[in-house]
Amino acid sequence: MVTAEQDFREAEPRKVERIVAGQTEEGALWGGRFSSGPDYTMQRLSKSTHFDWRLVSYDLDATIAHARALAGAGHLTAEDLETVIAALETIREDYLADRVHPRESDEDVHGALERILIERVGETLGGSLRAGRSRNDQIATFVRMYARDTARALRNVLVECVRILIQRSEDVGDSAMPGRTHFQHAQPVLVAHYLLAHAWPLMRNIQRLDDWSVRNNVSPYGGGALAGGGLGLDPQAIAAELGFESVQPNSLDGTSSRDVVAEFLYITTQIGLDVSRLAEEIIIYSSAEFSYFSLHDAFATGSSMMPQKKNPDIAELARGKSGRLVGNLTGLLTTLKGLPLAYNRDLQEDKEPLFDSVDTLLVVLPAMAGLLSSLTFNLETMERNATAGFSLATDVADFLVRKGVPFREAHEIVGALVSHCEHQGIELHEASDEDLAAISPHLSSDVRSAMTLEASLSAKSGRGGTAPEQVAKQRAELAALVDALDKS
Ligand code: ARG
């Protein structure tokens, strides 16, 4: 095993191979004022190509737009512009074919790409594109472009999850299940109502992504290092070419703010939390004690030792990975806390949490989509339990209220009835007429009409309630929202 110390000692000789001090090093974008090259430890800490290499396409897009702006302002000839664009396109092809890679000596994606460009078009032309821009405005722009693209991918898989839940809520018809508060039996609800309750939060996350994209749609490019560009380039043209609606009105703010990244990470975290709640219920409800759900074989795993096992690993991983999503958001917020204007190197720490949260959700959500669409709902078991735990008690109290009994008194009466039934080991509707009358003269025998599952469900007919026609309505409402998204 190579320890960090060994690795460091082996790396030591590299120091002597370092490029002559006092000039810009290959793969780095600075050096002129330094009397020595960077120490190995400095280089190792500073390096970001192992994670920012995935931004190559955005860097190339922006460099092409930037070259056009330089030519537009008279800093690059038409011929040079053509040469540069052609070279950048060959770099893109090589990148996509995995033929070009960062070198050990490259500091970051920007330095690596300048080195590669210089190799292809020579130092004079390759080194002229840095004019009028800084890695500070570049990177602030690229994280926005990356987040914009991945937001689309996340949105698509969220839409798929919402559609699956809508479909599954139709599949289960009007069957009922226990509704719970404090995870204890509370009142019966439709299974469809329950499934849609997991779909709405996902829909809100889609809406959050859309709201966020408005704030993300502003380009920091042209802000330079911090004070703005001084070479007469047109940032609006660059912004338009990169697909942004407008340019940041303040270059200090543009280069240093990462609130859009933090907001994006909040949304990914919220998605993780919403999915982890659903995952938790899938885990519990597919256990033998409940048997409400059965997992499809293709979306479950076995045990290496216990041959009988069928484990809900997808749901467990979804639940577990929500922890790292929270961690990524928390980490970034902590990094941002107290940073002064404008660019600080701390900001390099925005990318790994961003990439990790996106990567995480893009494996979790498709697996959850598969799990949900293949889940079997054991409707009989669910419905059999729907009225357990005296879950129609509130309906009996409501019945008394409709008869003019004040709720406080109705609550007491039904409490006494529940206590009686509990002692007798019977359900509410099994209490005899005599017992009912003994508990309260208000409990006439027609109270039994309130003690059925159907009555309980259909009574919840206010907006958002679990009455079958209300559930059908909310499903149509949600489906319309999803359809409208496709058109937007
Ligand atoms: N790699 C840096 C980042 O991701 C961008 C470089 C800016 N560095 C600098 N020394 N100004 O934030």
Side-chain angles (χ1 to χ4, degrees), residues 433-447:
D433 286 354
E434 297 71 42
D435 287 347
L436 289 175
I439 291 166
S440 165
H442 295 299
L443 289 176
S444 44
S445 69
D446 56 345
V447 71

Side-chain angles (χ1 to χ4, degrees), residues 57-74:
S57 289
Y58 304 116
D59 199 318
L60 292 172
D61 290 344
T63 302
I64 291 171
H66 184 73
R68 288 204 180 99
L70 281 172

